[in-house]
């Protein structure tokens, strides 16, 4: 397939702006679904409920507003570009737009007449050219798109990103390093620390059921703490080896166990007696509580100027003197509805305020 194209570069990644007909998109794209046996892929299967609603829209609307730009990726060796022409020799992976394209595929199956009316309509497509060492850019793009303003799970993609970083053995920014450490901490606490309140509590993929928080939310709540630790310790992302990354992750995991043991002692009703210990009747280990608690510990690190031992002592003092009760954490209780950054700050201040009265 040959297409007129505009080539451009974003941070070392070659990209192409092209137009494809609906028919070309339906026939030449696929979704890289996670495979549990191999660990490959980063997206969950498309939702029939979601794409069938879109199909119904295409059927019912006489002049539907067609989908905006589709984002796709393809391996570099599967394309050739010259004289503003792009030759595409293989199928493209959908990064954003998978439900829209699946809806059109379903339209073809269920209403061929309507599909034929639409199939020659052209849509703009941004195509990323992925070299062998750049797959992480594709995964990161999916995470960024779907973790900001969309209700799409990125748990699988986060796991694959961690695998790719382990394989590559390098980090291109401090943000990369922080994300890698946070993911290792989450997986370590969830999978290996059987006495931790976080054992089997974190949703790490679609096959995992009955947890209380997603790996994405847990890692985001940890990021400020990790960033402060590596800053205070003078750790540079450039040249850091994987053994050091694992060492930092183990250290952060130990800190998390210490502060959450303190939390469990303070508000025991919010936990089950036996593993897994989380209790869904309470917000404490959901996003609301986790972000708020980690925000408080982050402040303790600031006050202690990076001295972890002093930060833990200060944190334990705040918690032990707090007048906040277990029932405050109940779903529907005093702290329900505070699901924004300002809400987390409010809860953190309530814990401190009541301990300081």
């Amino acid at each position: 397939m040959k297409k007129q194209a505009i080539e451009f570069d974003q941070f070392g990644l070659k990209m192409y702006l092209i137009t494809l007909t609906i028919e070309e998109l339906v026939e030449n794209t696929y979704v890289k679904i996670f495979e549990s046996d191999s660990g490959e892929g980063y997206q969950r299967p498309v939702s029939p409920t979601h794409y069938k609603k879109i199909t119904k829209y295409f059927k019912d609307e006489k002049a539907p507003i067609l989908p905006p730009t589709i984002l796709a990726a393809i391996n570099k060796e599967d394309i050739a570009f010259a004289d503003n022409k792009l030759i595409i020799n293989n199928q493209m992976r959908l990064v954003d737009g998978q439900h829209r394209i699946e809806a059109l595929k379903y339209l073809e199956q269920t209403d061929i007449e309507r599909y034929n009316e639409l199939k020659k309509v052209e849509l703009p497509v941004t195509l990323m050219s992925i070299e062998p060492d750049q797959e992480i850019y594709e995964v990161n793009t999916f995470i960024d798109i779907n973790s900001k303003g969309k209700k799409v799970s990125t748990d699988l993609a986060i796991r694959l990103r961690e695998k790719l970083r382990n394989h590559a053995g390098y980090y291109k920014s401090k943000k990369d390093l922080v994300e890698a450490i946070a993911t290792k901490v989450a997986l370590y606490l969830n999978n290996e620390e059987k006495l931790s309140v976080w054992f089997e509590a974190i949703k790490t993929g679609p096959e995992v059921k009955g947890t209380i928080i997603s790996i994405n939310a847990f890692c985001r709540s940890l990021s400020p703490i990790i960033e402060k630790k590596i800053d205070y310790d003078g750790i540079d992302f450039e040249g850091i080896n994987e053994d050091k990354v694992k060492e930092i992750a183990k250290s952060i995991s130990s800190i998390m166990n210490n502060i959450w043991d303190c939390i469990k002692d303070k508000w025991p009703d919010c936990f089950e007696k036996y593993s897994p210990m989380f209790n869904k009747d309470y917000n404490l280990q959901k996003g609301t509580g986790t972000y708020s608690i980690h925000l408080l510990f982050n402040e303790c690190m600031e006050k202690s100027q990076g001295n972890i031992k002093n930060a833990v002592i200060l944190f334990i003092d705040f918690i032990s003197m707090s007048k906040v009760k277990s029932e405050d954490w109940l779903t529907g209780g005093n702290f329900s509805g505070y699901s924004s950054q300002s809400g987390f700050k409010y809860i953190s201040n309530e814990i401190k305020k009541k301990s300081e009265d």
Side-chain angles (χ1 to χ4, degrees):
M1 181 166 56
K2 183 186 288 188
K3 289 289 175 179
Q4 191 80 20
I6 298 173
E7 183 184 56
F8 58 101
D9 185 291
Q10 285 192 358
F11 306 105
L13 188 68
K14 290 290 185 186
M15 305 179 81
Y16 301 89
L17 186 60
I18 59 176
T19 58
L20 295 174
T21 65
I22 284 175
E23 183 177 36
E24 288 169 334
L25 280 165
V26 165
E27 294 178 354
N28 295 284
T29 60
Y30 73 101
V31 178
K32 196 170 184 180
I33 300 295
F34 172 74
E35 297 177 2
S36 57
D37 291 341
S38 66
E40 297 299 320
Y42 59 90
Q43 297 194 43
R44 64 182 62 240
V46 291
S47 164
T49 302
H50 188 175
Y51 72 70
K52 286 179 181 179
K53 285 181 180 178
I54 302 174
T55 301
K56 186 176 184 302
Y57 169 73
F58 287 135
K59 285 183 177 181
D60 294 346
E61 289 293 322
K62 187 174 182 180
I65 299 174
L66 292 168
T69 301
I70 301 293
L71 181 62
I74 194 168
N75 294 342
K76 182 183 178 182
E77 64 266 24
D78 292 328
I79 58 173
F81 181 74
D83 299 324
N84 295 323
K85 296 289 194 302
L86 184 69
I87 299 174
I88 302 170
N89 294 316
N90 208 339
Q91 287 209 319
M92 296 163 282
R93 300 181 293 276
L94 289 168
V95 178
D96 186 46
Q98 51 270 55
H99 281 95
R100 286 167 276 169
I101 302 307
E102 192 65 28
L104 290 164
K105 291 180 180 180
Y106 189 63
L107 179 66
E108 182 183 19
Q109 297 169 18
T110 58
D111 191 340
I112 188 63
E113 183 178 346
R114 179 59 171 156
Y115 176 78
N116 286 336
E117 291 174 359
L118 297 175
K119 68 180 183 180
K120 296 304 179 183
V121 174
E122 291 185 318
L123 299 177
V125 178
T126 301
L127 184 62
M128 299 188 292
S129 172
I130 303 296
E131 298 197 41
D133 63 345
Q134 291 182 321
E135 187 178 1
I136 195 167
Y137 287 105
E138 179 181 340
V139 177
N140 268 336
T141 300
F142 174 80
I143 293 172
D144 287 345
I145 290 171
N146 291 293
S147 63
K148 296 177 175 65
K150 283 192 176 184
K151 296 295 184 182
V152 177
S153 173
T154 57
D155 299 338
L156 290 174
I158 289 171
R159 284 167 56 184
L160 178 60
R161 180 173 65 187
E162 173 66 6
K163 180 179 177 181
L164 291 171
R165 282 177 177 154
N166 286 343
H167 179 71
Y170 67 92
Y171 304 92
K172 292 194 172 183
S173 67
K174 184 167 73 172
K175 180 174 178 285
D176 277 359
L177 178 58
V178 169
E179 288 172 347
I181 294 170
T183 304
K184 288 182 189 297
V185 171
L187 293 174
Y188 180 72
L189 293 176
N190 185 73
N191 299 338
E192 299 184 38
E193 284 285 288
K194 294 185 178 181
L195 298 179
S196 172
V197 300
W198 292 108
F199 184 67
E200 296 183 347
I202 302 170
K203 184 174 179 62
T204 57
E207 77 281 8
V208 181
K209 307 296 182 184
T211 57
I212 196 164
I213 193 170
S214 71
I215 191 172
N216 186 33
F218 188 83
C219 289
R220 283 177 176 272
S221 76
L222 276 183
S223 292
I225 294 171
I226 296 169
E227 186 170 353
K228 275 197 174 53
K229 178 167 173 55
I230 64 177
D231 284 346
Y232 282 125
D233 291 350
I235 295 168
D236 191 350
F237 69 88
E238 293 183 323
I240 190 170
N241 61 51
E242 200 58 26
D243 288 340
K244 183 63 177 176
V245 174
K246 290 179 181 178
E247 178 187 319
I248 298 168
K250 284 289 181 72
S251 174
I252 298 289
S253 299
S254 177
I255 295 166
M256 289 300 104
N257 280 332
N258 285 339
I259 69 171
W260 280 93
D261 282 347
C262 168
I263 296 295
K264 182 172 176 287
D265 290 341
K266 178 65 178 179
W267 298 301
D269 293 343
C270 300
F271 300 86
E272 302 290 350
K273 291 183 179 179
Y274 304 104
S275 184
M277 298 182 196
F278 63 86
N279 187 334
K280 288 188 175 182
D281 291 336
Y282 294 85
N283 285 318
L284 188 50
Q285 284 185 270
K286 297 177 184 177
T288 297
T290 303
Y291 273 96
S292 302
I293 295 300
H294 290 170
L295 184 63
L296 178 57
F297 184 72
N298 187 48
E299 183 179 325
C300 292
M301 286 184 68
E302 288 180 355
K303 291 184 175 181
S304 303
Q305 297 183 333
N307 185 306
I308 295 298
K309 182 178 180 180
N310 290 344
V312 171
I313 291 171
L314 180 59
F315 178 86
I316 291 173
D317 284 345
F318 276 135
I319 299 302
S320 62
M321 293 189 294
S322 177
K323 294 180 182 178
V324 169
K325 305 296 183 183
S326 291
E327 51 263 34
D328 291 322
W329 295 107
L330 273 168
T331 301
N334 290 336
F335 292 155
S336 288
Y338 292 97
S339 57
S340 64
Q341 198 63 36
S342 61
F344 308 146
K345 183 67 175 175
Y346 167 79
I347 295 173
S348 176
N349 286 338
E350 283 295 294
I351 295 170
K352 290 187 302 174
K353 182 177 69 177
K354 291 186 177 183
S355 68
E356 292 166 353
D357 285 346

